[in-house]
Amino acid sequence: MHKIIQQLAQEIQVGAHQVSAAIELLDGGATVPFIARYRKEVTGGLDDIQLRELEARLSYLRELEDRRAAVLKAIDEQGKLTDALRASIAAAPTKQELEDIYLPFKQKRRTKGQIAREFGIEPLADKLFADPTLDPAAEAAAFIKPPEVLDDGKPGADFSTVPAVLDGVRDILSERWAEDAALVQQLREWLWAEGLLRSKKVEGKNESDPDVAKFRDYFDYDEPIGRVPSHRALAVFRGRGLEILEAKLVLPVEPEPGKPSLAEGKIALHLGWSHQGRKSDDLIRKCVAWTWRVKLSLSTERDLFARLRDGAEKVAIKVFADNLRDLLLAAPAGPRVVMGLDPGIRTGVKVAVVDATGKLVETATVYPHEPRRDWDGSLHTLARLVQQHGVQLIAIGNGTASRETDKLAAELIKLASKTAPALDGIGPEAIQKIVVSEAGASVYSASEYASQEMPDVDVSLRGAASIARRLQDPLAELVKIDPKSIGVGQYQHDVNQGELARTLVAVVEDCVNSVGVDLNTASVPLLSRVSGLSGSVAKAVVRWREANGAFKSRKQLMDVAGLGAKTFEQSAGFLRIRDGDNPLDMTGVHPETYPVVEQIMEKTGKPVAELMGRADMLKTLKPELFAGEKFGVITVKDILGELEKPGRDPRPDFKVARFNEGVEDIRDLKEGMVLEGTVSNVAAF
């Protein structure tokens, strides 16, 4: 364990004591958000990004140590474990390098090299390689054996001729060299630096086929493999998987016909051998060529393709995670009446109005587009909903017919401004329209949770309600959807789905806990993302709330069935109670540190309600005065910061991008224009 701690400290560039403390907390069941927020003292201030990296690497290094122990045991049982081998196994930094060392000792099916060894040809192979001046044919004559006959009467191995014996020499030497860990690693690194990824269209595939044409950029493509960007690597691998492209690893310089390749030259150099025209040199050259062409070229290609895919997937997953984080932490419009429009052409535009609390109050379907083209009737229906419910914001889904529906909303706003008295005084500035991402809305609409939330609402209309709520609080609405279904990534279906899911779940968890959750309004999906709360405990919290009314204090959480002291410790700081018995329950101050706040109250002579928001007074207090053995200066500074801005939301303020009148097409743009807009997706190219 000491070795793992030292390695993690070096990788993350923090102290070994910080790593050790973090591991102890993680092993004890603490979550990353809890450790990052409330155990800064213990870990020396490790943040959630460092802790996530530590958690992932810790898992890998522990698996590596388990495999290391298994390899040592397996080789020891064969009686082949030397001190040098033990040292190289102990020093192997990755799983791949460990497997390279283990390869010669791995139990495998009976190979041609093993059969040749069984027939006693290994001494000849050693002799010819050690002294290439010997005549191979003359030396091989002494190793001729009668053909093997198997128990079932079928013919077995045959070393009854000189060429067959020399083939046995080739098989023994090429297998031995192909299992030389240092050589394999050297070739791998050289080809990663200088080899090329080459792709071509599979013979016979029709370029006019739209599915084939998508990969046109890769019909005659090559690029140094170590420099291929993530999106191009994943495109080639997808094309290969669809049998549209063939992809291979090629040497930086193709060999001339009949001449040894650069790879063969590297192998010869590693072996310390060169062709000097001696009697056995042609045979040894044949063994070297066999080592590359038959034994190592395909396995090296496989290893480097796996490395390229692994790196490309990491980038793609990071892009998805970053985009998801931006989407979840988008500015909330807050408690305003919102009309959600889920655009459609033939099926109509689905309309849902939600009140300031997010409750669905009315739905409708209008048909402004083809084939009905009921533009005026649609405007009339929407104007009535605006007037009746006091709509302040219009959220438009960004799918099919989004631009046409955006024009409808613009006309509705103009109509509202002209007929202000008829629309209950709603002026032109009162209503704003915003295009929002509708990714995953259809998944949510058909989900079990949506049917519980809106049991009597048609599936097609639930999407419009979700679009409206996304504007009020993107985080609270988007947590109801599997993060993979939100679809803000590139090649998301091509990457490791387990790793993608783990990463996205961590992003959602970090976002939810950085914002905090209102205990009395949060849904089960939102509560289940809170540090320490499982899905079953989240359901129990909501059941308690429905049976007993709103929580008045965080302490009441202990009355919830299945919520014990450990869960309370992990979750309480992230749960907010507005207008409760204790004003601190609406802040990010953890209940375990309430005694520190009591000391501050004693020192200032002010009740907590008068301390909160009083930055002028709080800034005069020295954190050292309130620090003790249990809670140090870092924690006290955090408490004072939280009291300055109690329950602050880390998300930006809500702001609507203003679109310039008359700019609806790229031809409307003029040089020097400065335009506002909304970024809806980011790709890493």
Side-chain angles (χ1 to χ4, degrees), residues 170-322:
R170 177 202 66 198
D171 292 330
I172 288 168
L173 290 178
S174 62
E175 274 184 30
R176 181 189 297 170
W177 297 337
E179 291 176 350
D180 180 335
L183 173 62
V184 169
Q185 287 160 21
Q186 184 187 322
L187 285 171
R188 205 185 277 137
E189 290 311 310
W190 166 64
L191 281 166
W192 182 253
E194 297 187 32
L196 300 175
L197 170 67
R198 177 169 293 165
S199 71
K200 292 192 180 303
K201 180 172 70 69
V202 169
E203 202 68 45
K205 289 289 177 182
N206 185 355
E207 289 187 35
S208 60
D209 180 338
D211 290 333
V212 175
K214 282 180 196 170
F215 295 93
R216 186 173 284 113
D217 289 350
Y218 304 99
F219 287 171
D220 185 17
Y221 157 82
D222 63 43
E223 189 169 5
I225 189 167
R227 299 204 292 275
V228 176
S230 163
H231 61 282
R232 287 210 280 272
L234 292 172
V236 169
F237 288 135
R238 180 185 284 183
R240 187 173 69 153
L242 294 170
E243 298 181 354
I244 292 167
L245 300 175
E246 54 184 44
K248 59 182 179 179
L249 174 70
V250 297
L251 300 174
V253 178
E254 293 290 342
E256 292 175 33
K259 298 276 182 161
S261 67
L262 283 175
E264 290 161 43
K266 294 272 180 189
I267 294 169
L269 193 64
H270 177 81
L271 297 171
W273 169 85
S274 62
H275 199 298
Q276 295 169 26
R278 296 163 295 190
K279 289 178 180 176
S280 286
D281 277 344
D282 280 345
L283 173 67
I284 294 168
R285 179 160 65 189
K286 185 180 176 184
C287 295
V288 168
W290 198 264
T291 303
W292 171 246
R293 292 173 193 172
V294 176
K295 300 290 182 184
L296 286 177
S297 62
L298 286 176
S299 64
T300 305
E301 178 183 90
R302 189 173 60 246
D303 291 345
L304 293 189
F305 276 13
R307 179 170 170 180
L308 178 61
R309 182 184 278 282
D310 189 47
E313 287 186 0
K314 281 192 172 79
V315 172
I317 289 170
K318 185 182 183 303
V319 168
F320 197 145
D322 290 346

Side-chain angles (χ1 to χ4, degrees), residues 148-171:
E148 181 185 32
V149 179
L150 301 176
D151 293 342
D152 58 5
K154 290 180 181 175
D158 185 354
F159 295 99
S160 60
T161 65
V162 165
V165 170
L166 294 179
D167 280 351
V169 168
R170 177 202 66 198
D171 292 330

Side-chain angles (χ1 to χ4, degrees), residues 455-655:
D456 303 321
V457 179
D458 186 81
V459 171
S460 63
L461 291 163
R462 290 174 189 164
S466 180
I467 287 166
R469 288 174 180 162
R470 285 176 188 209
L471 203 52
Q472 291 178 322
D473 191 337
L475 184 59
E477 190 60 24
L478 290 168
V479 292
K480 298 172 186 174
I481 305 164
D482 175 356
K484 283 196 282 185
S485 300
I486 295 170
V488 286
Q490 54 183 21
Y491 295 98
Q492 73 180 74
H493 300 295
D494 297 58
V495 302
N496 181 310
Q497 294 302 292
E499 189 55 42
L500 177 65
R502 276 192 296 277
T503 304
L504 299 185
V505 164
V507 168
V508 175
E509 188 180 60
D510 289 344
C511 290
V512 167
N513 290 289
S514 71
V515 170
V517 169
D518 188 322
L519 183 56
N520 286 320
T521 61
S523 63
V524 170
L526 186 56
L527 285 168
S528 65
R529 303 292 190 174
V530 171
S531 163
L533 295 187
S534 63
S536 57
V537 174
K539 284 176 185 171
V541 169
V542 172
R543 275 198 302 272
W544 191 97
R545 198 170 69 196
E546 286 168 352
N548 301 283
F551 284 88
K552 286 292 179 191
S553 75
R554 284 169 167 167
K555 277 188 288 188
Q556 284 181 300
L557 280 164
M558 296 297 285
D559 299 335
V560 174
L563 201 156
K566 183 75 182 175
T567 305
F568 180 83
E569 177 194 60
Q570 295 294 309
S571 63
F574 303 105
L575 296 166
R576 309 275 185 268
I577 298 173
R578 303 193 186 283
D579 306 317
D581 295 341
N582 186 341
L584 289 174
D585 284 350
M586 71 159 283
T587 72
V589 178
H590 198 286
E592 67 185 8
T593 59
Y594 285 2
V596 177
V597 181
E598 284 163 18
Q599 287 180 49
I600 296 169
M601 285 157 60
E602 208 174 295
K603 176 79 176 170
T604 58
K606 300 278 184 190
V608 71
E610 288 183 32
L611 283 173
M612 286 161 70
R614 289 288 304 277
D616 54 338
M617 183 196 301
L618 293 164
K619 277 191 165 60
T620 64
L621 301 174
K622 291 185 177 173
E624 295 79 9
L625 291 174
F626 309 102
E629 199 176 306
K630 193 172 182 189
F631 303 111
V633 173
I634 298 174
T635 302
V636 176
K637 280 181 180 173
D638 277 356
I639 292 167
L640 292 171
E642 192 61 43
L643 291 175
E644 272 184 45
K645 295 177 180 174
R648 69 190 184 283
D649 192 324
R651 294 175 289 183
D653 293 332
F654 181 73
K655 183 173 177 269

